[in-house]
Amino acid sequence: MTLSSARSTVRAGVLTAALAALVCTTATTASVASADSPAARPAAAQADVPAGVTAGVAVFDRQTGTFTEQLNADAQFRSASVVKLLIALDVLWNRSPDALSAADRARVDTMLRGSDDAAASTFWSNNGSGAIVDRMVTRLGLTDTARPPSTHPGYWGYTALSARDTVKIYRHLLDSAPAATRDYLLGDLRQSTRCATDGYDQHFGIAGSFNRPWAVKQGWSGFSSGGCTATASTAAAEPAGTAARTAADADAVDLSRPALHTTGVVGSGDRSIVAVFTLHPSGTPYGKAYTDIGRLTRSLNVPGATRPAGTWIGTWGSGVRVRTQATTTSGAITTLPAGVEVLVGCQKRGQQVSQPPYVNDWWAQLPQYGGYMTNIYLSSPENQVPGVPVC
């Protein structure tokens, strides 16, 4: 097994003390209530936004027709890949999914399931670029949505979008779109792959906070590495670096800070629509942003949602593998975003792993990944994490 390269020379005493402090703040027990009924979980007075994060939040309960959460719901963010919802709806406007060519159907599938940028760019170029956004604004009555700025016309990820308008998009898809369109597009969103085609782990926010059924469309921009592979996105629509802003853009949508968004529907009958848009301080690692949006999403009052049982624990190191069994010789399922918080279901003894000055034979079972990671990389001062049951 090739172990993480991070912290290989850290002094044992300093790291142990640091990890002891970390576990006090990063290990939290997840709710095991069967559903978020008002009796099980009172409505939050306000979304719990982590320090340094700018957020726009909207949660809509389709059963009661009311919002359970609204925070800066009309604030405009650059959409990143969330705009792919509008691109897909435009492709299918006045057209049945059965009428798509095989090539276009494959593009829609990979664009929504794996958040493929090349597919989105093809539709963007072929169907009028910013005119796609203009058409969908008129069709859906969107009020906070606008095409990318004139300085970046080809950057579909720079489309302006709000949490409030995102709720409108999902309400149209669920309640007004033809049944064939609804079932096809939601079917793709329900099949969101953990690893996107650009190597980013996209099961943050909604996908990590709630049990299925859910359907999600996520967005990210401004990060250099996303966990599943070492490959960073190089597509023009999702630049990894920061974008220069001109004087004309001074009051426009923020194009520079790292953005991470989670949107979708949650619960039986797609009861709740959730939209969480976030901006993070410049230089924020992907794993930190992933953790922060997860904590924010878990704080929300989402009617009909059920939450996974387990304990959320921080990790350290980079390139940490999740494996099929508690051994270094078993198959690698994926790698974790560096420093991300993970849900631990239980722990058991397995193969002894050494990362000097540490040796540990305890492994954590990660139910959301369907595998195990060595406890060495959990932010815990003890080999066996206190409070986590034995498998």
Side-chain angles (χ1 to χ4, degrees):
M1 173 181 182
T2 301
L3 296 175
S4 167
S5 60
R7 299 195 179 184
S8 59
T9 60
V10 178
R11 293 181 208 165
V14 174
L15 182 56
T16 299
L19 293 180
L22 275 171
V23 75
C24 292
T25 59
T26 61
T28 56
T29 302
S31 168
V32 295
S34 62
D36 281 355
S37 64
R41 184 173 185 272
Q46 181 172 310
D48 184 7
V49 181
V53 175
T54 300
V57 178
V59 178
F60 183 78
D61 181 357
R62 296 176 63 230
Q63 182 171 302
T64 63
T66 60
F67 284 91
T68 61
E69 300 275 4
Q70 290 192 87
L71 174 68
N72 302 323
D74 60 350
Q76 291 180 314
F77 293 77
R78 72 185 189 277
S79 67
S81 287
V82 180
V83 74
K84 291 168 183 173
L85 292 170
L86 294 180
I87 294 173
L89 282 168
D90 183 73
V91 169
L92 290 170
W93 203 263
N94 294 327
R95 183 192 307 180
S96 166
D98 292 339
L100 293 177
S101 67
D104 277 350
R105 191 178 184 95
R107 289 188 186 100
V108 171
D109 291 345
T110 190
M111 179 176 71
L112 296 183
R113 298 178 192 179
S115 202
D116 187 74
D117 291 346
S121 294
T122 296
F123 287 131
W124 185 259
S125 177
N126 292 346
N127 297 338
S129 302
I132 295 171
V133 177
D134 297 341
R135 289 194 294 267
M136 296 310 300
V137 164
T138 299
R139 290 164 173 168
L140 305 187
L142 305 178
T143 55
D144 312 316
T145 302
R147 62 162 65 196
S150 59
T151 52
H152 300 82
Y155 285 56
W156 42 259
Y158 285 177
T159 297
L161 191 57
S162 69
R164 177 175 66 179
D165 271 0
T166 302
V167 169
K168 291 181 182 179
I169 294 168
Y170 279 104
R171 292 187 70 184
H172 166 81
L173 179 58
L174 289 161
D175 302 325
S176 302
T181 296
R182 177 196 65 218
D183 294 345
Y184 173 49
L185 296 185
L186 282 177
D188 274 343
L189 299 182
R190 296 189 206 284
Q191 297 178 70
S192 167
T193 59
R194 174 169 289 280
C195 293
T197 58
D198 63 0
Y200 279 72
D201 184 326
Q202 62 170 341
H203 277 188
F204 50 82
I206 294 169
S209 299
F210 309 116
N211 291 324
R212 292 181 185 270
W214 46 250
V216 296
K217 186 67 210 77
Q218 317 280 55
W220 54 92
S221 177
F223 300 95
S224 60
S225 179
C228 288
T229 72
T231 303
S233 172
T234 56
E238 297 283 0
T242 57
R245 301 183 68 190
T246 66
D249 292 326
D251 296 321
V253 175
D254 189 310
L255 303 180
S256 59
R257 281 183 291 168
L260 199 63
H261 313 318
T262 183
T263 77
V265 295
V266 181
S268 178
D270 300 320
R271 176 170 174 176
S272 289
I273 300 171
V274 180
V276 179
F277 286 75
T278 62
L279 292 174
H280 302 259
S282 296
T284 298
Y286 191 68
K288 174 66 163 60
Y290 191 115
T291 295
D292 282 347
I293 198 171
R295 292 179 177 179
L296 169 53
T297 305
R298 294 198 300 273
S299 78
L300 302 177
N301 179 14
V302 181
T306 62
R307 298 164 188 266
T311 304
W312 290 96
I313 305 178
T315 66
W316 63 276
S318 61
V320 177
R321 290 174 173 81
V322 179
R323 296 190 175 274
T324 57
Q325 301 295 329
T327 68
T328 61
T329 55
S330 59
I333 296 173
T334 189
T335 56
L336 297 175
V340 75
E341 197 171 56
V342 293
L343 184 70
V344 177
C346 59
Q347 58 188 328
K348 70 177 185 179
R349 278 197 155 97
Q351 181 181 347
Q352 182 173 283
V353 177
S354 175
Q355 172 73 337
Y358 306 108
V359 176
N360 197 337
D361 64 351
W362 283 93
W363 289 67
Q365 190 265 342
L366 308 184
Q368 295 184 329
Y369 291 83
Y372 298 83
M373 66 170 286
T374 169
N375 279 19
I376 275 186
Y377 296 113
L378 292 180
S379 299
S380 170
E382 300 180 32
N383 283 358
Q384 182 181 0
V385 182
V388 173
V390 175
C391 298

